[in-house]
Amino acid sequence: MSYTEVPGARVPIRMWTDPATVEDVAMQQLRNVSTLPWIKGLAVMPDVHFGKGATVGSVIAMQGAVCPAAVGVDIGCGMSAVKTSLTANDLPGDLSRLRSKIEEAIPVGFSMHDDPVDPRRLHGLPTAGWDDFWGRFDGVAEAVKFRQSRALKQMGSLGGGNHFVEFCLDETNSVWLMLHSGSRNIGKELAEYHIGEARKLSHNQGLVDRDLAVFIADTPEMAAYRHDLFWAQEYARHNREIMMALYKDVVRKEFKKAKPLFEQTISCHHNYVSEERYEGMDLLVTRKGAIRAGGGEYGIIPGSMGTGSYIVRGLGNEASFNSASHGAGRRMSRNQAKKRFSERDLAEQTRGVECRKDRGVVDEIPAAYKPIEQVMDQQRDLVEVVAKLKQVVCVKG
């Protein structure tokens, strides 16, 4: 489908979904964002739903300003995927051992590594700029610096919620490795600190929603946030790189006879800020639950833990600020899912997938998400499908 433009907004709100299907609170968030004097446009993805500060599944283009709550607390959250030389014929009948080995190698939930992972000891992982990256930690907000030890140990760990590691098959029965994570606790700490600082600024006192507090260009507060924001986005990228390297090591050991090879990794943020130019304007583009989908650029759009995911190539649609959805998008809250579904429901909806099927992950049940096929159909003018993947192993935080 092409987009629908919402009438009556101060700037264009272009929606790649039927506005009538969007929850009222999410529509109000979109209208609130459109009132900000710095905003130049708003693109709404088919996986849109209510979120903290701004809707998940929205692309907010602003000139000379950025809203830290719209970026969110999981700065740099995103996806990585790599195709391997393995096929379905190489897999054992029981995949529980593989899941256990992945969980041993990559800490999940609140867990972290006992000692920081040394990237120089990981097979094939590029380490250029590693020391410079950690050197720039000296410039982050003083209130967060005491977390460096924890940040070092969490580098290369999954986290919880909807983060996952998956072992997938595509439609040709080739094996793909895929994972979803972000900047862990250090990103959360930095985000919460700066959201608090933005709320104190005088120009933010009359906003319709205090979560829309912004930093303005050429101010010390903006400079400080930009430093920490881009550092946290880099942390998230390194985190996924280290997890993928650890994951590859597991696969090499578990499939030693098959001597697996790995193609180039596809990686994309879906909670982040990027400096981009549209219609002659230099803009700060916040993708909150959206990926960049410039012409020919590869991206990853996951479904739920029982439905599969898509590798896509962007079509470069500037009406969407070169963006696409970041996933299926929730259609009910975590609490609603826990009240409505049981462990038996979860087991039924994840049949054929080696994964947790206990009460602790019922909130991630496939039925809590929108149908991924519908989401993909609504953004045919944003991306083209390269591969459709179906997980056979899913590790959840």
Side-chain angles (χ1 to χ4, degrees):
M1 65 176 285
S2 59
Y3 65 84
T4 299
E5 192 161 318
V6 176
R10 194 180 66 81
V11 296
I13 301 179
R14 304 183 183 115
M15 303 189 69
W16 273 262
T17 189
D18 181 355
T21 66
V22 179
E23 56 203 321
D24 291 343
V25 286
M27 284 299 301
Q28 188 57 54
Q29 281 189 319
L30 294 169
R31 292 187 182 279
N32 289 347
V33 169
S34 74
T35 67
L36 295 175
W38 307 275
I39 194 162
K40 298 300 178 183
L42 186 57
V44 184
M45 302 295 102
D47 59 339
V48 62
H49 59 280
F50 178 77
K52 176 73 171 175
T55 55
V56 179
S58 60
V59 183
I60 303 165
M62 301 176 75
Q63 189 172 40
V66 67
C67 174
V71 181
V73 295
D74 196 356
I75 298 171
C77 184
M79 302 284 304
S80 293
V82 59
K83 187 178 182 179
T84 79
S85 60
L86 298 172
T87 70
N89 292 332
D90 295 310
L91 307 189
D94 183 358
L95 292 168
S96 60
R97 174 186 163 92
L98 177 60
R99 177 162 77 97
S100 295
K101 292 298 181 181
I102 296 169
E103 291 169 341
E104 287 175 15
I106 300 173
V108 303
F110 291 107
S111 300
M112 63 189 84
H113 295 280
D114 293 334
D115 299 297
V117 176
D118 183 353
R120 298 169 184 84
R121 301 181 68 177
L122 293 175
H123 186 279
L125 183 68
T127 58
W130 184 255
D131 292 335
D132 173 68
F133 163 71
W134 280 109
R136 283 186 279 119
F137 188 84
D138 290 339
V140 304
E142 287 291 335
V144 181
K145 282 188 177 179
F146 74 102
R147 292 293 192 186
Q148 183 171 19
S149 174
R150 182 178 179 135
L152 282 161
K153 292 180 180 179
Q154 284 193 329
M155 178 69 80
S157 65
L158 186 65
N162 62 354
H163 293 166
F164 62 79
V165 178
E166 290 186 339
F167 191 87
C168 308
L169 296 173
D170 67 16
E171 292 176 306
T172 69
N173 278 331
S174 292
V175 169
W176 289 70
L177 314 184
M178 187 165 67
L179 55 86
H180 171 209
S181 191
S183 53
R184 304 295 283 108
N185 184 255
I186 193 66
K188 176 178 178 291
E189 295 269 354
L190 287 168
E192 290 177 343
Y193 168 76
H194 286 289
I195 289 168
E197 292 300 293
R199 287 174 175 165
K200 300 174 187 176
L201 299 175
S202 59
H203 63 261
N204 290 319
Q205 299 313 305
L207 299 174
V208 294
D209 182 347
R210 66 195 302 261
D211 283 331
L212 296 181
V214 304
F215 293 117
I216 298 175
D218 302 320
T219 63
E221 294 85 2
M222 172 67 108
Y225 178 61
R226 283 172 64 102
H227 174 279
D228 293 0
L229 169 72
F230 291 127
W231 185 88
Q233 289 178 184
E234 197 171 344
Y235 181 100
R237 178 174 60 82
H238 284 308
N239 184 40
R240 290 194 295 272
E241 287 174 344
I242 287 180
M243 276 193 289
M244 187 60 80
L246 293 169
Y247 191 7
K248 287 179 181 178
D249 281 349
V250 170
V251 171
R252 286 189 188 96
K253 291 172 184 174
E254 292 301 299
F255 298 92
K256 190 178 297 184
K257 289 183 179 179
K259 298 179 180 178
L261 300 174
F262 306 93
E263 295 187 6
Q264 186 172 353
T265 300
I266 299 167
S267 185
C268 59
H269 291 322
H270 56 223
N271 278 3
Y272 75 113
V273 176
S274 178
E275 299 170 323
E276 300 178 19
R277 189 171 179 83
Y278 295 95
E279 298 180 358
M281 295 182 290
D282 292 320
L283 303 176
L284 286 167
V285 178
T286 297
R287 294 186 175 92
K288 183 182 177 73
I291 63 170
R292 181 172 163 85
E297 296 176 352
Y298 286 90
I300 308 161
I301 302 177
S304 66
M305 63 188 290
T307 58
S309 304
Y310 289 85
I311 306 297
V312 299
R313 188 162 41 230
L315 297 177
N317 189 327
E318 292 205 358
S320 72
F321 300 104
N322 289 322
S323 303
S325 80
H326 84 310
R330 297 192 72 92
R331 62 179 174 185
M332 65 179 69
S333 71
R334 295 186 181 281
N335 285 336
Q336 287 174 319
K338 287 177 180 177
K339 290 176 182 177
R340 182 167 176 178
F341 298 107
S342 66
E343 292 172 58
R344 180 178 294 180
D345 295 324
L346 178 64
E348 177 64 28
Q349 292 181 31
T350 58
R351 184 179 296 176
V353 181
E354 172 58 45
C355 64
R356 286 178 60 186
K357 301 179 191 285
D358 58 84
R359 190 69 191 164
V361 291
V362 167
D363 57 340
E364 283 293 301
I365 192 169
Y369 286 84
K370 297 177 183 179
I372 185 63
E373 293 80 10
Q374 173 186 311
V375 169
M376 296 304 299
D377 185 61
Q378 291 175 318
Q379 55 187 337
R380 285 175 295 172
D381 60 337
L382 303 182
V383 293
E384 59 182 353
V385 174
V386 173
K388 182 178 180 180
L389 313 183
K390 178 68 175 70
Q391 67 274 75
V392 291
V393 177
C394 176
V395 173
K396 277 282 186 185

Coordinates of all heavy atoms in Angstrom, one line a residue, residues 153-185:
K153 N 31.2 -5.7 31.3 CA 30.8 -7.1 31.4 C 29.5 -7.4 30.7 O 29.3 -8.6 30.3 CB 30.6 -7.4 32.9 CG 31.9 -7.4 33.7 CD 31.7 -7.7 35.2 CE 33.0 -7.7 35.9 NZ 32.8 -8.0 37.4
Q154 N 28.7 -6.4 30.4 CA 27.4 -6.7 29.7 C 27.7 -6.6 28.2 O 26.8 -7.1 27.4 CB 26.4 -5.6 30.0 CG 25.7 -5.9 31.4 CD 24.5 -5.1 31.6 OE1 24.3 -4.0 31.1 NE2 23.5 -5.6 32.3
M155 N 28.8 -6.1 27.7 CA 29.1 -6.2 26.3 C 29.2 -7.6 25.8 O 29.9 -8.4 26.3 CB 30.4 -5.5 26.0 CG 30.9 -5.5 24.6 SD 29.8 -4.4 23.5 CE 30.5 -2.8 23.9
G156 N 28.3 -8.0 24.9 CA 28.2 -9.3 24.4 C 27.2 -10.1 25.1 O 27.2 -11.4 25.2
S157 N 26.1 -9.4 25.7 CA 25.0 -10.1 26.4 C 23.7 -9.7 25.8 O 23.6 -8.6 25.2 CB 25.1 -9.8 27.9 OG 24.8 -8.5 28.1
L158 N 22.7 -10.5 26.0 CA 21.4 -10.3 25.2 C 20.4 -9.4 25.9 O 19.8 -8.6 25.2 CB 20.7 -11.7 25.1 CG 19.5 -11.7 24.2 CD1 19.8 -11.4 22.8 CD2 18.8 -13.1 24.3
G159 N 20.3 -9.5 27.2 CA 19.2 -8.7 27.9 C 17.9 -9.5 27.9 O 17.9 -10.7 27.5
G160 N 16.8 -8.8 28.2 CA 15.5 -9.5 28.3 C 14.5 -8.9 27.4 O 14.8 -8.4 26.4
G161 N 13.2 -9.1 27.8 CA 12.1 -8.5 27.0 C 12.0 -9.3 25.7 O 11.9 -10.5 25.6
N162 N 11.9 -8.5 24.6 CA 11.7 -9.1 23.3 C 13.1 -9.4 22.6 O 13.1 -9.7 21.4 CB 10.9 -8.2 22.4 CG 11.5 -6.8 22.2 OD1 12.5 -6.5 22.7 ND2 10.9 -6.0 21.3
H163 N 14.2 -9.2 23.3 CA 15.5 -9.6 22.7 C 15.6 -11.1 22.6 O 15.1 -11.9 23.4 CB 16.6 -9.0 23.6 CG 16.7 -7.5 23.6 ND1 17.4 -6.8 24.5 CD2 16.0 -6.6 22.8 CE1 17.3 -5.5 24.3 NE2 16.4 -5.4 23.3
F164 N 16.3 -11.5 21.5 CA 16.4 -12.9 21.2 C 17.6 -13.3 20.4 O 18.2 -12.4 19.8 CB 15.1 -13.4 20.5 CG 14.9 -12.8 19.2 CD1 15.6 -13.2 18.0 CD2 14.0 -11.8 19.0 CE1 15.4 -12.6 16.8 CE2 13.7 -11.2 17.8 CZ 14.4 -11.6 16.7
V165 N 18.0 -14.6 20.4 CA 18.9 -15.2 19.5 C 18.2 -16.3 18.8 O 17.6 -17.1 19.5 CB 20.2 -15.7 20.2 CG1 21.1 -16.4 19.2 CG2 20.9 -14.6 21.0
E166 N 18.3 -16.3 17.5 CA 17.6 -17.4 16.7 C 18.5 -18.1 15.7 O 19.4 -17.5 15.2 CB 16.3 -16.8 16.0 CG 15.2 -16.4 17.0 CD 14.0 -16.0 16.3 OE1 14.0 -15.6 15.1 OE2 12.9 -16.0 16.9
F167 N 18.1 -19.4 15.5 CA 18.7 -20.2 14.5 C 17.6 -20.5 13.5 O 16.6 -21.1 13.9 CB 19.2 -21.5 15.2 CG 20.1 -22.4 14.4 CD1 21.5 -22.2 14.3 CD2 19.6 -23.5 13.7 CE1 22.3 -23.0 13.6 CE2 20.4 -24.3 13.0 CZ 21.8 -24.1 12.9
C168 N 17.8 -20.1 12.3 CA 16.7 -20.1 11.3 C 17.0 -20.8 10.1 O 18.1 -21.0 9.7 CB 16.3 -18.6 11.0 SG 16.1 -17.5 12.4
L169 N 15.9 -21.2 9.4 CA 16.0 -21.7 8.0 C 15.3 -20.8 7.0 O 14.2 -20.3 7.4 CB 15.4 -23.1 7.9 CG 16.0 -24.2 8.8 CD1 15.2 -25.5 8.7 CD2 17.5 -24.5 8.3
D170 N 15.9 -20.6 5.9 CA 15.1 -19.8 4.9 C 14.4 -20.7 3.9 O 14.3 -22.0 4.2 CB 16.1 -18.8 4.1 CG 17.1 -19.6 3.2 OD1 16.9 -20.8 2.9 OD2 18.1 -18.9 2.8
E171 N 13.8 -20.2 2.9 CA 12.9 -21.1 2.1 C 13.7 -22.0 1.2 O 13.1 -22.9 0.5 CB 12.0 -20.1 1.2 CG 11.0 -19.4 2.1 CD 10.1 -18.4 1.3 OE1 10.7 -17.5 0.6 OE2 8.9 -18.5 1.4
T172 N 15.0 -21.9 1.1 CA 15.8 -22.8 0.4 C 16.5 -23.8 1.4 O 17.3 -24.6 1.0 CB 16.9 -22.1 -0.4 OG1 17.9 -21.5 0.5 CG2 16.3 -21.1 -1.3
N173 N 16.1 -23.8 2.7 CA 16.6 -24.6 3.7 C 18.0 -24.3 4.1 O 18.7 -25.1 4.7 CB 16.5 -26.1 3.4 CG 15.1 -26.6 3.7 OD1 14.4 -26.2 4.6 ND2 14.7 -27.6 2.9
S174 N 18.5 -23.1 3.8 CA 19.8 -22.6 4.3 C 19.6 -22.1 5.7 O 18.6 -21.5 6.0 CB 20.3 -21.5 3.4 OG 20.7 -22.0 2.1
V175 N 20.7 -22.2 6.5 CA 20.7 -21.8 7.9 C 21.1 -20.4 8.0 O 22.1 -20.0 7.4 CB 21.6 -22.7 8.7 CG1 21.8 -22.1 10.1 CG2 21.0 -24.1 8.8
W176 N 20.4 -19.6 8.8 CA 20.8 -18.2 9.1 C 20.9 -18.1 10.7 O 20.2 -18.7 11.4 CB 19.7 -17.2 8.7 CG 19.6 -17.0 7.2 CD1 19.1 -17.9 6.3 CD2 19.9 -15.8 6.5 NE1 19.2 -17.3 5.0 CE2 19.6 -16.0 5.1 CE3 20.4 -14.5 6.9 CZ2 19.8 -15.0 4.2 CZ3 20.6 -13.6 5.9 CH2 20.3 -13.8 4.6
L177 N 21.8 -17.3 11.1 CA 21.9 -16.9 12.5 C 21.4 -15.5 12.7 O 21.7 -14.6 11.9 CB 23.4 -16.9 13.0 CG 24.2 -18.2 12.6 CD1 25.6 -18.0 13.2 CD2 23.6 -19.5 13.0
M178 N 20.6 -15.3 13.7 CA 20.0 -13.9 13.8 C 19.9 -13.6 15.3 O 19.7 -14.5 16.2 CB 18.6 -13.9 13.2 CG 18.0 -12.5 13.2 SD 16.5 -12.5 12.0 CE 15.4 -13.6 12.9
L179 N 20.0 -12.3 15.6 CA 19.9 -11.9 17.0 C 19.4 -10.4 17.1 O 19.5 -9.7 16.1 CB 21.2 -12.0 17.8 CG 22.5 -11.4 17.3 CD1 22.6 -9.9 17.7 CD2 23.7 -12.2 17.7
H180 N 18.8 -10.1 18.2 CA 18.2 -8.8 18.5 C 18.6 -8.3 19.9 O 18.3 -9.0 20.9 CB 16.7 -9.0 18.4 CG 15.8 -7.8 18.8 ND1 14.6 -8.0 19.4 CD2 16.1 -6.5 18.8 CE1 14.1 -6.8 19.6 NE2 15.0 -5.9 19.3
S181 N 19.3 -7.2 19.9 CA 19.6 -6.6 21.2 C 20.1 -5.2 21.0 O 20.1 -4.7 19.9 CB 20.7 -7.4 21.9 OG 20.9 -7.0 23.3
G182 N 20.4 -4.5 22.2 CA 20.8 -3.1 22.1 C 21.9 -2.7 23.0 O 22.9 -3.4 23.1
S183 N 21.8 -1.5 23.7 CA 22.9 -1.0 24.4 C 22.8 -1.4 25.9 O 23.5 -0.7 26.7 CB 22.9 0.5 24.3 OG 21.6 1.1 24.6
R184 N 22.0 -2.3 26.3 CA 21.9 -2.9 27.6 C 21.7 -1.8 28.7 O 21.2 -0.8 28.4 CB 23.2 -3.7 27.9 CG 23.4 -4.8 26.9 CD 22.4 -5.9 26.9 NE 22.6 -6.8 28.1 CZ 21.8 -6.8 29.2 NH1 20.8 -5.9 29.2 NH2 22.0 -7.6 30.2
N185 N 22.2 -2.0 29.9 CA 21.9 -1.1 31.0 C 22.5 0.3 30.8 O 22.0 1.3 31.2 CB 22.3 -1.7 32.3 CG 21.9 -0.8 33.5 OD1 22.8 -0.2 34.1 ND2 20.6 -0.8 33.8

